[in-house]
Amino acid sequence: MSTPQGINPTASFSASSAADESLTTPEGRKDFWRATLSCWLGTAMEYADFALYGLAAGIIFGDVFFPEATPAMALLSSFATWSVGFIARPIGALFFGWLGDRKGRKVVMVSTIILMGASTTLIGVIPSYASIGLWAPACLVVLRFSQGFGAGAELSGGTVMLGEYAPAEKRGLVSSIIALGSNSGTLVASLVWLAVVQMDQQQLQEWGWRIPFLCSSLIALVALWIRRHLKETPVFERKKAEIVAQRESALPLQPADNRSFWQRSRSFLVMVGLRIGENGPSYLAQGFIIGYVVKVLAVDKSVATTAVFLASLLGFLIIPFAGWLSDRFGRRITYRCFCLLLILYAFPAFMLLDSREPVIVIATIVTGMGLASLGIFGVQAAWGVELFGVNHRYTKMATAKELGSILSGGTAPLVAAALLSWTGHWWPIATYFAVMAGIGFLTTFIAPETRGRDLNAPEDAI
């Protein structure tokens, strides 16, 4: 049988053996489950934050922070502040990724959960435009930036930690827990919003919208408590031990250790392309379309939040199934199929939304989130970890993911709102949706198959 591209046949599972060996002891299994729970909660926190903001931007922020704008301009302004968080994410990814590759995964995981938790909680106490004028949206922008700065490394940090703990043959399934965390966060956010939007409109605008943001601090506190007791991954511990052994023996470092960050950057660019194919459609499906349905099509707010809630429930089946498929058939073919389905989804989705029928609208949103926010994301986790070598894994993966995110998800709702304001029709938005999914689809043809790759290998997969 031929060796999949990107795998060194002479060292096939040496990295995974470190993880496998650590799971043979009770203490090792305890560390694994603690890391799993911590990563799940941290990602839940991150995506609860962004789902809360996405729902709030589509439903209420226009009235609270931009009351003097027209409905279309209020929606555009709300998603402009949304994009600020994504501008901060690559900066945070580069900084915290560098820190994580040198000082360890734990220090970053603790720092990011504190930063994100504080930022989200403070959003819930910003006075409205009616109280302090322009200072209200200004405070929102600052807190969105700090929230994004921490989130830029949170997702990748959890992905790296789970990937480096997981046995090679189950890496896709175990790593998909990160996506389950994102799904849990979206579920919590939609549940809270589903309850909050039942309030009287005046109460909702005055104080009800603050409840979801204040409640998110509970997740952050639990995750922080668990992370204080985390240990480093077996892969990172082995890397540290090799560096110490080389220094003590006075031997020169391996050539791969002296390579610059940007040498052999093909895997970096591949990750950017894969991220565009996932993140852009994902944030259109769970961000812009929510606002479009509520503000433009004038469908009841509870319809959109119900759809997000149902999609989140289904995610607990879709995500691990997608991870298992990538373990069974490979990362490339599974990812490619999801991208193809997203391309086919784009135009029919907007045609169906125009019906304004609650059942059809809910089914359309659920399908879009199932493909983009859930299924494809479940495959991406393990693939991203395997694409990069151990020396710069955290920095490269986090930066590539967030760069792809700012080129797609971070700006997608803003671009879509601008296209809608400019043309007054949905067809340019559907085209934009399909193009981003198409970028992910084409990237799979130049991406290496990495299933089972040695995670201690210093070089990136090629």
Side-chain angles (χ1 to χ4, degrees):
M1 184 173 69
S2 62
T3 303
Q5 187 179 359
I7 299 178
N8 179 353
T10 64
S12 56
F13 289 98
S14 61
S16 63
S17 64
D20 291 338
E21 289 168 9
S22 71
L23 295 176
T24 59
T25 64
E27 185 63 26
R29 288 191 291 272
K30 184 179 179 180
D31 291 339
F32 169 75
W33 287 112
R34 183 183 290 129
T36 300
L37 180 59
S38 166
C39 294
W40 171 69
L41 282 174
T43 312
M45 171 73 196
E46 176 186 353
Y47 274 80
D49 291 350
F50 278 83
L52 284 174
Y53 194 93
L55 288 165
I59 294 173
I60 196 68
F61 274 2
D63 298 326
V64 175
F65 294 105
F66 310 100
E68 298 179 358
T70 63
M73 286 306 299
L75 185 64
L76 181 62
S77 300
S78 297
F79 283 122
T81 57
W82 161 285
S83 299
V84 168
F86 284 86
I87 294 171
R89 289 177 72 125
I91 304 172
L94 194 58
F95 172 75
F96 284 117
W98 171 85
L99 189 65
D101 278 331
R102 282 151 185 79
K103 301 298 183 182
R105 318 314 190 196
K106 177 181 175 178
V107 64
V108 174
M109 300 291 277
V110 171
S111 301
T112 54
I113 202 69
I114 292 173
L115 185 57
M116 289 169 52
S119 301
T120 305
T121 302
L122 288 174
I123 287 176
V125 299
I126 299 175
S128 67
Y129 183 93
S131 300
I132 60 172
L134 291 175
W135 284 106
C139 290
L140 185 63
V141 168
V142 170
L143 290 175
R144 277 292 294 164
F145 187 91
S146 63
Q147 188 187 58
F149 189 77
E154 172 62 38
L155 176 64
S156 294
T159 305
V160 168
M161 180 162 279
L162 275 183
E164 291 184 346
Y165 260 112
E169 69 277 6
K170 296 180 180 178
R171 194 177 291 145
L173 179 60
V174 172
S175 296
S176 72
I177 291 172
I178 284 294
L180 281 178
S182 70
N183 186 60
S184 302
T186 305
L187 175 62
V188 169
S190 62
L191 267 176
V192 175
W193 267 105
L194 194 59
V196 168
V197 295
Q198 308 303 321
M199 299 173 63
D200 174 79
Q201 181 63 27
Q202 185 177 352
Q203 291 180 321
L204 176 64
Q205 188 169 329
E206 288 179 355
W207 57 270
W209 68 269
R210 302 178 186 278
I211 296 173
F213 291 93
L214 297 175
C215 289
S216 68
S217 61
L218 299 176
I219 302 176
L221 289 173
V222 174
L224 178 61
W225 181 77
I226 294 173
R227 288 184 179 188
R228 289 178 62 250
H229 304 285
L230 276 179
K231 290 185 179 179
E232 291 295 349
T233 68
V235 171
F236 188 81
E237 289 291 355
R238 176 177 289 186
K239 174 191 171 183
K240 286 201 304 183
E242 289 174 352
I243 292 174
V244 169
Q246 287 176 346
R247 286 173 178 169
E248 290 179 349
S249 62
L251 292 174
L253 293 176
Q254 295 296 321
D257 290 333
N258 295 322
R259 291 175 185 151
S260 72
F261 177 90
W262 295 108
Q263 277 188 289
R264 298 192 175 182
S265 59
R266 177 180 170 183
S267 292
F268 182 91
L269 298 175
V270 163
M271 188 70 251
V272 172
L274 294 176
R275 183 68 163 167
I276 290 172
E278 168 264 323
N279 207 239
S282 174
Y283 279 104
L284 283 180
Q286 66 177 323
F288 173 80
I289 286 179
I290 303 300
Y292 176 76
V293 165
V294 173
K295 293 292 186 181
V296 179
L297 300 183
V299 176
D300 188 84
K301 295 180 178 69
S302 63
V303 172
T305 48
T306 300
V308 175
F309 170 67
L310 292 175
S312 301
L313 283 181
L314 289 173
F316 289 101
L317 296 175
I318 297 171
I319 289 169
F321 180 64
W324 176 83
L325 284 176
S326 75
D327 281 332
R328 178 70 177 82
F329 300 104
R331 319 296 187 216
R332 257 194 320 199
I333 188 64
T334 310
Y335 208 91
R336 188 178 300 163
C337 289
F338 276 111
C339 287
L340 179 60
L341 289 172
L342 284 171
I343 295 171
L344 298 175
Y345 165 86
F347 283 89
F350 283 91
M351 294 178 187
L352 293 169
L353 291 175
D354 273 352
S355 71
R356 293 178 170 83
E357 289 292 331
V359 173
I360 295 176
V361 170
I362 288 173
T364 303
I365 295 175
V366 167
T367 301
M369 288 185 63
L371 294 174
S373 305
L374 304 172
I376 194 171
F377 197 26
V379 181
Q380 188 186 96
W383 204 1
V385 173
E386 293 167 341
L387 277 172
F388 301 104
V390 68
N391 294 317
H392 300 295
R393 173 170 294 128
Y394 200 155
T395 315
K396 281 192 172 184
M397 188 178 79
T399 307
K401 277 194 170 187
E402 299 312 328
L403 179 59
S405 179
I406 197 175
L407 293 174
S408 54
T411 52
L414 179 61
V415 171
L419 288 172
L420 180 63
S421 180
W422 177 48
T423 65
H425 202 273
W426 56 258
W427 64 264
I429 304 167
T431 303
Y432 180 49
F433 188 106
V435 166
M436 286 192 290
I439 291 172
F441 178 77
L442 294 175
T443 303
T444 64
F445 288 93
I446 61 171
E449 175 57 68
T450 60
R451 178 178 45 162
R453 187 170 187 259
D454 177 358
L455 293 188
N456 270 111
E459 71 280 353
D460 294 344
I462 56 173

